[in-house]
Amino acid sequence: MAGSGASAIGRALVAESAPESAAEGVVVVVHCSLLSTSFGWWLQAFLAAVCFVSLVGKRFTDRIRRPWKVWFMDTSKQGLSAFVVHFLNILLSIALERWLDADVDPCNWYWINLTLDDTLGIAIQFMLLRLMQRLYRSRCVDRPELANSGEYGDPPDCGIWLRQLLDWQGLVLCQKCLMLGMVVGLTQQVGAIAGVCLGWLDSWPRVKLVVVMVVTPLTMNVFALWMADSFLQGDPGAEERLARQPLAVTHMGSPSVVGHGGAPRGEHSDEEDEPHAVA
């Protein structure tokens, strides 16, 4: 998600002290670490609320406004996937620091995972969704009703929504595996990019923590949520095109319903021929 979801869980700064000598005193080395704190849960709730409000705001800016129930069904897909990917990013950030031979701290790894998920990952999710829709419409599967993302029937059917919810989670997990493979294969390259973008903040670890865990998630997650919501919702112009489909324009220039009045060109009705017969 589409993104990495409700953003960062609680974070803390870890201070490690190492006495150099009696003359030099104590040197304190402070680095960025992904450790939970009680304040972190409030931070997580705040960031999740901002993402939720942003999607509410998007509903009011859509050209065709969805009913609240349909909007909730669309949004819940991203909510669940964001929750899962969010905690995956935390675990992966800690694991990648330990397992990969790279001079990258957990905050940098989290920033890498978050940025990739909310940019390249969104494009991959879009392509995977279109591929799945083509598969459902293919002759071998022949389930075109499953390909209509964001359409749940009238009235909305929870069974259809549940199927789309599970389909989307599968696509997001596939996207996450692809991103993980790219990060592992290009460890030095992505680590160097993170170092260039965040390395200047190493001297101010608290500022770095705010940038990685607050500023970046607020901007990137809102962008990713809006983008994913645009292609997860149903086609907003489908009903309009369906309503216009049976209409045709007669030779007199006035609209009429096909098959319900208005003689075709080159033909005359009996009323038009009657005056000539009388004459």
Side-chain angles (χ1 to χ4, degrees), residues 95-111:
L96 291 174
E97 184 204 21
R98 296 180 180 178
W99 296 340
L100 296 183
D101 184 17
D103 186 18
V104 182
D105 63 36
C107 284
N108 282 24
W109 279 124
Y110 186 87
W111 184 86

Side-chain angles (χ1 to χ4, degrees), residues 37-59:
T37 64
S38 58
F39 173 74
W41 293 105
W42 291 104
L43 176 63
Q44 182 185 14
F46 168 74
L47 296 175
V50 171
C51 293
F52 177 79
V53 170
S54 72
L55 287 176
V56 174
K58 182 180 181 300
R59 176 183 178 271

Side-chain angles (χ1 to χ4, degrees), residues 74-95:
D74 289 340
T75 305
S76 61
K77 301 177 191 176
Q78 294 201 74
L80 180 58
S81 63
F83 179 82
V84 173
V85 173
H86 163 61
F87 285 101
L88 280 178
N89 281 341
I90 294 176
L91 296 176
L92 288 174
S93 300
I94 298 173

Side-chain angles (χ1 to χ4, degrees), residues 54-258:
S54 72
L55 287 176
V56 174
K58 182 180 181 300
R59 176 183 178 271
F60 289 98
T61 62
D62 288 338
R63 184 170 60 89
I64 297 179
R65 192 171 300 171
R66 290 164 286 177
W68 280 110
K69 187 174 183 179
V70 174
W71 173 88
F72 174 79
M73 288 179 167
D74 289 340
T75 305
S76 61
K77 301 177 191 176
Q78 294 201 74
L80 180 58
S81 63
F83 179 82
V84 173
V85 173
H86 163 61
F87 285 101
L88 280 178
N89 281 341
I90 294 176
L91 296 176
L92 288 174
S93 300
I94 298 173
L96 291 174
E97 184 204 21
R98 296 180 180 178
W99 296 340
L100 296 183
D101 184 17
D103 186 18
V104 182
D105 63 36
C107 284
N108 282 24
W109 279 124
Y110 186 87
W111 184 86
I112 291 170
N113 285 313
L114 175 70
T115 304
L116 286 176
D117 286 339
D118 289 348
T119 52
L120 182 59
I122 289 295
I124 292 177
Q125 290 172 9
F126 175 78
M127 291 185 289
L128 288 176
L129 178 64
R130 292 295 181 260
L131 180 63
M132 184 187 69
Q133 290 173 331
R134 291 179 66 90
L135 181 63
Y136 277 143
R137 294 189 180 104
S138 64
R139 292 183 178 180
C140 59
V141 178
D142 195 22
R143 295 294 300 276
E145 71 277 5
L146 299 179
N148 300 323
S149 177
E151 297 180 11
Y152 311 103
D154 188 16
D157 188 338
C158 290
I160 300 176
W161 163 76
L162 181 60
R163 178 59 184 262
Q164 293 189 20
L165 178 72
L166 296 177
D167 284 346
W168 178 247
Q169 307 317 304
L171 295 181
V172 171
L173 289 178
C174 289
Q175 171 264 318
K176 191 59 193 173
C177 291
L178 293 174
M179 290 292 96
L180 178 60
M182 189 185 76
V183 168
V184 173
L186 302 173
T187 299
Q188 300 300 328
Q189 290 81 352
V190 295
I193 293 174
V196 171
C197 295
L198 301 174
W200 62 280
L201 293 172
D202 288 341
S203 300
W204 301 280
R206 286 180 174 81
V207 177
K208 181 178 181 179
L209 193 68
V210 172
V211 170
V212 172
M213 306 304 175
V214 179
V215 178
T216 303
L218 278 178
T219 54
M220 299 300 295
N221 282 344
V222 170
F223 167 78
L225 289 171
W226 276 49
M227 292 297 295
D229 184 69
S230 297
F231 58 76
L232 277 177
Q233 62 178 291
D235 185 1
E239 293 185 0
E240 290 184 355
R241 290 194 298 270
L242 184 62
R244 291 196 301 264
Q245 186 175 0
L247 295 181
V249 177
T250 65
H251 64 284
M252 297 299 293
S254 59
S256 63
V257 180
V258 173

